């Protein structure tokens, strides 16, 4: 996500307050606190409803370059998307302990936090944040 994708029409809290499902609001607040505690960053609202923490630069050998969130999630009714910018495959052992979820290459999909072990999600996010932060210290990341 680039600065151009950043929303300026509403704050992160206004977005959370606009969610009509109380359980989703509560789950989003838990994830927001977790990501803030891990990253030490304040949330930024992007696009339709992605909430991101921190940023890193990438520049792939294909020529594609830009900036992405170090940690991010998108709270939607019925499906909370948690983004793992370094991919889900590297966390297969922890994902096996997470509880009810599904994944794609870079996302964990959760219906609600009560379906999972939140401490396992925190471990995954901590490891992902540490991995991306370590990789990006040497300059733009050229692979994931």
């Amino acid at each position: 996500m680039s600065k151009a994708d950043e929303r300026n029409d509403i704050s992160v809290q206004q977005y959370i307050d606009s969610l009509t499902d109380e359980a989703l609001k509560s789950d989003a607040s838990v994830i927001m606190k977790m990501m803030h505690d891990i990253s030490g960053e304040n949330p930024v609202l992007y696009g339709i409803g992605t909430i991101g923490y921190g940023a890193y630069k990438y520049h792939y050998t294909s020529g594609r370059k830009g900036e992405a969130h170090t940690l991010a999630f998108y709270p939607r009714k019925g499906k909370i998307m948690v983004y793992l910018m370094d991919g889900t495959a590297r966390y297969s052992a922890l994902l096996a302990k997470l509880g009810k979820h599904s994944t794609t290459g870079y996302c964990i999909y959760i219906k609600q936090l009560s379906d999972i072990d939140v401490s396992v999600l925190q471990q995954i996010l901590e490891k992902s944040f540490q991995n991306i932060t370590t990789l990006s210290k040497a300059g733009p990341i050229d692979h994931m």
Side-chain angles (χ1 to χ4, degrees), residues 51-83:
I51 300 169
Y53 293 80
Y56 69 94
K57 293 183 186 310
Y58 62 86
H59 188 172
Y60 300 143
T61 54
S62 66
R64 184 173 179 211
K65 63 182 177 175
E67 197 172 86
H69 308 294
T70 310
L71 293 175
F73 78 108
Y74 178 20
R76 298 186 333 185
K77 186 173 175 74
K79 187 188 297 184
I80 300 169
M81 298 169 56
V82 177
Y83 299 98

Side-chain angles (χ1 to χ4, degrees), residues 105-123:
Y106 292 91
C107 291
I108 301 171
Y109 298 95
I110 303 163
K111 287 189 180 184
Q112 55 196 11
L113 288 183
S114 61
D115 289 340
I116 64 162
D117 183 333
V118 176
S119 69
V120 173
L121 178 62
Q122 182 166 343
Q123 289 175 57

Side-chain angles (χ1 to χ4, degrees), residues 94-111:
L94 284 168
L95 287 167
K97 300 175 187 177
L98 183 61
K100 189 175 177 182
H101 73 283
S102 62
T103 61
T104 60
Y106 292 91
C107 291
I108 301 171
Y109 298 95
I110 303 163
K111 287 189 180 184

Side-chain angles (χ1 to χ4, degrees), residues 1-12 15 42-55 67-75 83:
M1 295 283 182
S2 68
K3 281 283 191 193
D5 296 325
E6 187 175 335
R7 290 186 66 175
N8 295 309
D9 57 333
I10 63 172
S11 69
V12 173
Y15 173 72
N42 290 322
V44 176
L45 183 63
Y46 293 89
I48 295 171
T50 299
I51 300 169
Y53 293 80
E67 197 172 86
H69 308 294
T70 310
L71 293 175
F73 78 108
Y74 178 20
Y83 299 98

